[in-house]
Amino acid sequence: MNYIIICFLLFSFMLQLFILSYLPIFGLAPELVLLTLLFLSLKYGSLFGEIYGFIAGLLLDCFTIHVFGLRAFIFTIIGYFVGKFSHKLDEEKIQVQVLLTATIVSFYYLTNNILPGVLLSGSIQIDIFKLFCAILYNSVFAPFLFLIMKSVRIKKH
Amino acid sequence: MNRKPTIIFLFLITFSLLLVAFDLTEKVAIFKNFIAYVFLPLPNLSMKLIATGKQIQTNIVSIVKTHQENIELKSQLNKLSFIKTQYEVIKEENKNLRAVLKLSERIEYEFITSRIISHDPVNWFKCLIIDKGKLSKLTENLPVATLHNNELCLVGRTVELHNKIAKILLLTDPLSYVPAKIARTQETGVIVGKNKNLLLLDYLLPESNIKIGDKIITSEISEIFPEGISIGTVERILTSDGYYKQALVKPSISCNQIKTVFVLLPFHEKKKDKQKKRY
């Protein structure tokens, strides 16, 4: 993959962690790294998706106080399984983009809450309203992001 | 079937699970710190970006405000330019009429700005000393005024001159007599100093319509002071002694508020002629 992929990763990572988190709308910021992972996995398949997911997750883990390696684990799973649908779905359709985003965000949110609960405290707390808001927010945001990413031409070596 | 992605997937999953399992161990902490160190410039860069964004927002607001102000000032400038044209026309007309009526021309004054360097050590209401003197072409009996609330206020007149300093006789000195008039009714009188922060307006006719709050200005009958300089406002009307009515006037500016003054030096005819030739 060319440098644009690395730029994508760094840019989305930087934007999510250091800018959007300081400018939240109703306490929520879009999961930019997750959405780029979704887009790139759909485009380039499982192998790319899992590696990208692992690196992106590891980067996020370094800058949060969560269990180290947890996001790398979740993002690797997402990258691998979303990559399985590469060239099998019509990802140009907004309905597909929204549906996939909603599924992935739900999976990410649930695992991100359940696993630390199981590993650390033993109690699981899930805020359904926050989950619903996160799904809605990211689902609305995803088509715009995909449109921007599609306009950037990425060459595959 | 290509098994490569699955093998790598399993490897990565195992590796990340190992990371989760050894979360708080020293080696993982070192690895975590190393990654954080590599990407450490990113938060600073992001903070700078956010700050720049906020600065841009402030700048845009400032530009919009400046633009609005500019429009307003342009409109004011147009009005003032129109007023200036009118003034020039009226001035020329006034000059012609004076010539027809054979009236003497009004004296125009040059403003010499000067700083106060000392007050009278014995009595603050008597005189003050300024840093301009004979070398600045000052002479005796020149009017001295100052700006207060965008208005020219009379301070006194020059009395004693040295090369680099001059003494100013204040309005509040009992030796000071200034022909004055009530701006509203144009009735004339004389302003006399009382050695305190009040002036006496004397020689008003008993039937004078003077009221408290009336503005007192210099009169055109004075040989020293130009007409229309603010002196003060009427504070109290004294009972008439049968001959003349008197009033106490509060000066437009208190003598301890004065910082800089303007000495009004009359323009010389030769200088004016030179200026005319130049144009």
Side-chain angles (χ1 to χ4, degrees), chain A residues 38 42 82 85 89 95-105:
Chain A
L38 183 63
L42 277 175
V82 172
F85 294 100
L89 294 169
Q95 295 95 311
V96 175
Q97 292 171 359
V98 170
L99 198 71
L100 265 176
T101 307
T103 316
I104 295 304
V105 169

Side-chain angles (χ1 to χ4, degrees), chain B residues 119 124-125 128 146 148 153-155 170 172 197 231 250-259:
Chain B
H119 276 266
W124 276 46
F125 297 106
L128 44 86
T146 188
H148 183 63
C153 307
L154 193 66
V155 172
L170 292 172
T172 43
N197 202 25
I231 293 175
K250 194 184 178 193
S252 301
I253 182 162
S254 173
C255 64
N256 57 359
Q257 282 180 300
I258 305 165
K259 296 275 187 295

Side-chain angles (χ1 to χ4, degrees), chain B residues 48-109:
Chain B
K48 276 184 187 170
L49 281 173
I50 291 170
T52 312
K54 281 180 181 170
Q55 188 61 43
I56 288 169
Q57 192 187 342
T58 318
N59 288 350
I60 288 169
V61 172
S62 166
I63 287 168
V64 170
K65 276 185 183 173
T66 313
H67 180 66
Q68 284 173 342
E69 202 177 35
N70 191 27
I71 291 168
E72 203 176 309
L73 287 174
K74 271 184 181 173
S75 144
Q76 276 185 19
L77 193 68
N78 286 337
K79 279 180 194 170
L80 288 174
S81 134
F82 176 66
I83 290 168
K84 197 193 166 200
T85 315
Q86 279 186 323
Y87 165 76
E88 294 290 341
V89 170
I90 290 166
K91 195 181 166 189
E92 194 58 34
E93 197 179 272
N94 186 273
K95 196 180 168 187
N96 292 339
L97 287 170
R98 276 180 175 273
V100 170
L101 294 169
K102 291 178 182 168
L103 291 172
S104 61
E105 273 200 40
R106 274 178 187 274
I107 305 165
E108 286 184 27
Y109 289 91

